[in-house]
Amino acid sequence: MRTARTFRTTRPAGSAVRGLPALLATAALLAAAVPGAAAAPETATDPAPVAATADQLATSWTGPLSTRGRYVVDATGNRFKLKSGNWAGAQGTWEGSGDVNDPANHQADQKSNNIPLGLDRKPIDQILADFHALGLNSIRLPFANALVHDTTTVPDAAVAANPQLKGKTPLQVMDAVIQALTDDGFAVILNNHTTSYRFCCGLDGNERWNSGQSTRQWIDDWVFLAKRYRDNKRVVGADLRNEVRRDTWNDANWGWGNDYDLNKALEQAGNEILQAAPDLLIIMEGINWQGIPTDLTPHSRPTLTPVATLSNTLIRSDKLVYSAHFYAYTGPNHTGATGTGETHDPRYQDLTPEELVKVVDDQALFVTRSGQHFTAPVWISEFGASGRGEPNAKERDWFRRFTDILVNNDTDFAIWPLVGWTDATGKPQDNWAMVNYSTDGTRLGLMDAGDWRATDWNKLVAAPARTGQIATTPRWNMLNLDYADYDVSATMLAKPDWSPGNRKGNCPDTQRLVGLGRSDSRGLCTDAGQPAKGTGSWTVVTDERYVTGGDWASGYNKLQCPDRTFAVGYSVNGNSMAALLCAPAAASLPTNGRVLWFDHGDNRPATGGSNASDWAPGYYKGQCADGEYLAGVAYTWKWSHYGVPDALLCRPLA
């Protein structure tokens, strides 16, 4: 969401984390962006995007979508660049005070009635025609958890231009909107924006996925929606939660293993969704805000930065997309507030061109670097600027520079927001909207004269981009046993506990175990040169009965997979080795190999193997080469080694 959206339109400047004064009152008690890359020049001649018809868009791609490296691809393996917009409204628009029925108490005086904006003013086919005219191929559709449970029908006036929607609940309206969008060829990504219909920001009860509801309820709502739309292959993604931020007392964290751990919650939700609807992309946004925004207290906007050392692994490793939001008036350490809650940190619009390129890379686009444990597409699922009206020179300059970054990096994007209203004088009530409709349906949009954003938008939508077939490339994914089991194997999820009383990590079924951290219980999986799995039982190894071919680590305890099997998982007690899990290979595997010691330092491949990223920071790591399989682990309780892994038995794949 764009925080404090109204201070660009009809209300005076306010906090970009709405509710921040209350927070501070409480606090009183307590091939990515490359630095230096040349920016695309601003011109007045960038042509408007060629609007695809519904048939043209529908025939240009085939669902479902998945990922290959940093790219989203369709079912045929062709690049599908997300050129998206946010059709807001179903997340609610009430700002949290005053009569909920009074439009003046809603964002930009736009009372959505908890359905996508504009359905009272324009037939849906004409709204979608305007989306085509903007050059979009996909729509991010925000919703509130409240919508899933809302049994009231929307007022007739809320769908006056679409009488076929009269008598429907907000969820039934969303059904119809999704069907219309996908019939027109658009890809639809559902976005859990809020818990309640209150909008937006700061201390509004929607701070986390489990604000105002349990994590279990949040996941159950997602599974319900995933099942509801899983037969529609143009419903392509689940954008799990919008702009997670601090509540009154607690920050969200990334990897602490508690009830505020966003990393843990996203993985749990993503894997349960994939079990219900295996075709969906799972889209994960980082932490939008941590800390109390004063010059004397720690505070920041982490975004995707923590992913560099703790990335996510799903049971379908080709379904993960990361996302991030950027607005001119916020900053890497700035809430976007003016007055109360404002710090002296720079906003994004205050950064030099070189600084902005570096910050966007550091906070998000680094994730697109190839061959790392975190490698995935990055979707800038919100950005935008105020259009018509009094110009803001800094914001205009930022918008030009930011869209240049997206162009230069061939980045997937979604503008905020698509639809707004015009008032009785014809003035946009939310001048951030790309298209605005009057009560009689008259359009005032970016494609109409007078909106300064047109040049930069046209440049962005029409920019050269990677197209065609995207080759499959090896993947590396982390296993994180810091606090609990980490089971991302669909095979093992369907079976009983294979190592009771111990923490377990299982690689996705398409991958094998290739590396271990020495004292932190983390692991690394890969599909590089992956041997085909055979039929038959998987083997749990807890002793040395399968050690053949000689003592390869004299004086050490050894866990070794049986011949013709390879390690796909492991378990630990504390950080001490407890067991190996070995899967059968479809064909014989070589039994010669080498012993790789890592008890005195990292021992990782010089090339390949996620070599430019750290998946167990602060600990020694052992990792077999890409052309090897992990066949055994050696450890000892002598010399105060405490049973942590000291060596790996690495054998060639061929």
Side-chain angles (χ1 to χ4, degrees), residues 369-634:
R369 291 174 190 152
S370 64
Q372 307 309 312
H373 67 81
F374 50 68
T375 301
V378 170
W379 183 39
I380 305 302
S381 56
E382 285 190 28
F383 75 104
S386 55
R388 301 171 191 276
E390 184 178 348
N392 180 326
K394 277 195 169 185
E395 187 175 63
R396 289 186 65 163
D397 179 61
W398 173 86
F399 192 76
R400 176 185 60 80
R401 292 188 286 126
F402 186 74
T403 51
D404 285 345
I405 291 172
L406 300 183
V407 168
N408 291 339
N409 290 280
D410 194 7
T411 302
D412 301 70
F413 58 86
I415 193 81
W416 180 281
L418 283 177
V419 177
W421 295 353
T422 53
D423 63 18
T425 70
K427 178 182 177 182
Q429 293 177 221
D430 183 351
N431 66 345
W432 288 62
M434 300 291 275
V435 289
N436 301 273
Y437 300 117
S438 68
T439 54
D440 66 2
T442 302
R443 185 192 76 191
L444 182 63
L446 181 104
M447 62 287 283
D448 303 311
D451 193 317
W452 66 265
R453 298 171 298 177
T455 293
D456 294 312
W457 176 255
N458 296 341
K459 167 195 68 183
L460 176 61
V461 174
R466 176 78 177 268
T467 60
Q469 280 284 307
I470 303 296
T472 56
T473 55
R475 298 176 186 272
W476 291 269
N477 288 104
M478 286 180 57
L479 297 179
N480 169 24
L481 277 65
D482 288 0
Y483 301 104
D485 288 356
Y486 202 100
D487 190 352
V488 287
S489 160
T491 297
M492 297 311 294
L493 283 169
K495 294 183 180 297
D497 189 340
W498 61 269
S499 187
N502 302 310
R503 302 195 312 280
K504 294 159 287 296
N506 302 322
C507 294
D509 284 345
T510 55
Q511 299 184 3
R512 67 185 184 280
L513 188 66
V514 72
L516 289 173
R518 184 165 184 270
S519 300
D520 71 338
S521 70
R522 292 197 182 176
L524 187 69
C525 305
T526 190
D527 60 6
Q530 177 72 5
K533 286 189 172 74
T535 58
S537 300
W538 295 16
T539 305
V540 178
V541 179
T542 59
D543 55 33
E544 297 190 5
R545 72 184 68 186
Y546 300 109
V547 175
T548 58
D551 187 350
W552 51 270
S554 179
Y556 284 74
N557 303 89
K558 290 167 284 293
L559 302 175
Q560 183 174 327
C561 292
D563 291 350
R564 199 170 172 166
T565 71
F566 52 91
V568 292
Y570 62 104
S571 66
V572 295
N573 194 308
N575 289 320
S576 306
M577 287 300 302
L580 267 186
L581 180 66
C582 308
S588 295
L589 294 171
T591 56
N592 60 304
R594 65 187 178 107
V595 180
L596 184 153
W597 292 92
F598 59 106
D599 56 331
H600 289 85
D602 278 1
N603 195 342
R604 302 171 65 196
T607 59
S610 191
N611 66 309
S613 54
D614 196 340
W615 44 272
Y619 296 92
Y620 296 150
K621 292 165 284 295
Q623 183 179 331
C624 297
D626 297 348
E628 297 176 322
Y629 69 97
L630 194 159
V633 180

Side-chain angles (χ1 to χ4, degrees), residues 64-69 71-74 236 274 278-282 313-321 375-377 472-473 475 477 508 510-511 527:
L65 302 182
S66 57
T67 70
R68 293 183 179 178
Y71 297 107
V72 175
V73 299
D74 75 356
V236 299
L274 287 173
D279 288 334
L280 288 175
L281 294 175
I282 301 299
T313 304
L314 296 168
I315 59 174
R316 287 283 306 271
S317 59
D318 62 346
K319 291 296 183 180
L320 175 61
V321 174
T375 301
T472 56
T473 55
R475 298 176 186 272
N477 288 104
T510 55
Q511 299 184 3
D527 60 6

Side-chain angles (χ1 to χ4, degrees), residues 66-99:
S66 57
T67 70
R68 293 183 179 178
R70 61 150 293 181
Y71 297 107
V72 175
V73 299
D74 75 356
T76 69
N78 285 320
R79 168 82 185 283
F80 186 85
K81 182 174 182 177
L82 295 171
K83 300 181 180 182
S84 320
N86 285 269
W87 192 2
Q91 81 286 346
T93 50
W94 182 55
E95 294 184 306
S97 62
D99 183 0

